[in-house]
Amino acid sequence: MNKKRILAVMLTLALVLSLAFAFAACTDDQTPAAKEGTFRVVLMPKEGEADVYTIDMALLDGEKNGEAAVMQLAGNHGVSVTWEESSFGKYLIAIGCVQPTEANEYVRLFTSVEKDKGVDAYATTIEYDGVSLTSSAVGISLMTVEPDCVILIKVDSY
């Protein structure tokens, strides 16, 4: 009888420890490195100089995506943003100096984040400040933000 009691206590202890470690692992999915550093958002007008904003990763509470970055621009830098909700997330109509004026113009997103780069026939690669940027395969709500990345937003036409 004593051996059964010891075995039950050991199994209970093992279960409690495994649950404790499981909950501890779920408290924060961001590594410290993901919360540190900065990234740049470049607003490229049709003519003139670009507006470049450096954003601290720590300011993006929780969400590390393009939508959170745009919210930082609007809230901390006074950048005007016009967007519409869609079933795929937010669709940028205009942001800061990026203002489409013709019927065939739209806001186009470029990124340095490898997993977000477009690979289809319409993907375009440009160079900005020594960084290769490719048109994004995802919208602003799904774009990944990571330390040292560059997101460039400009007017394009079809």
Side-chain angles (χ1 to χ4, degrees):
M1 196 67 121
N2 212 5
K3 287 183 180 182
K4 286 183 180 180
R5 184 174 276 172
I6 291 173
L7 182 60
V9 169
M10 289 176 63
L11 287 173
T12 303
L13 183 60
L15 178 63
V16 168
L17 286 174
S18 66
L19 288 174
F21 285 119
F23 286 121
C26 293
T27 59
D28 191 6
D29 63 348
Q30 298 292 325
T31 62
K35 293 181 180 180
E36 297 174 358
T38 60
F39 65 95
R40 291 182 290 168
V41 176
V42 179
L43 303 180
M44 182 70 70
K46 290 190 267 186
E47 296 178 11
E49 293 292 315
D51 293 335
V52 181
Y53 300 92
T54 301
I55 301 174
D56 192 330
M57 293 292 294
L59 295 176
L60 302 181
D61 288 332
E63 297 298 319
K64 306 290 188 231
N65 61 37
E67 184 177 332
V70 168
M71 295 304 291
Q72 280 297 314
L73 291 179
N76 292 341
H77 299 280
V79 175
S80 63
V81 179
T82 305
W83 49 23
E84 291 180 0
E85 292 288 338
S86 78
S87 58
F88 301 106
K90 290 193 168 50
Y91 176 76
L92 275 175
I93 305 296
I95 178 168
C97 63
V98 179
Q99 302 283 330
T101 55
E102 304 295 324
N104 66 331
E105 293 180 335
Y106 63 98
V107 173
R108 190 159 190 193
L109 308 170
F110 290 82
T111 183
S112 64
V113 177
E114 201 62 39
K115 73 177 189 169
D116 290 347
K117 290 181 177 183
V119 295
D120 62 359
Y122 302 104
T124 305
T125 299
I126 61 174
E127 220 30 57
Y128 176 79
D129 196 27
V131 179
S132 178
L133 305 170
T134 302
S135 52
S136 181
V138 296
I140 196 71
S141 297
L142 298 176
M143 287 182 80
T144 305
V145 174
E146 55 189 34
D148 301 322
C149 79
V150 177
I151 295 173
L152 185 138
I153 305 172
K154 66 178 236 150
V155 172
D156 210 344
S157 61
Y158 53 89

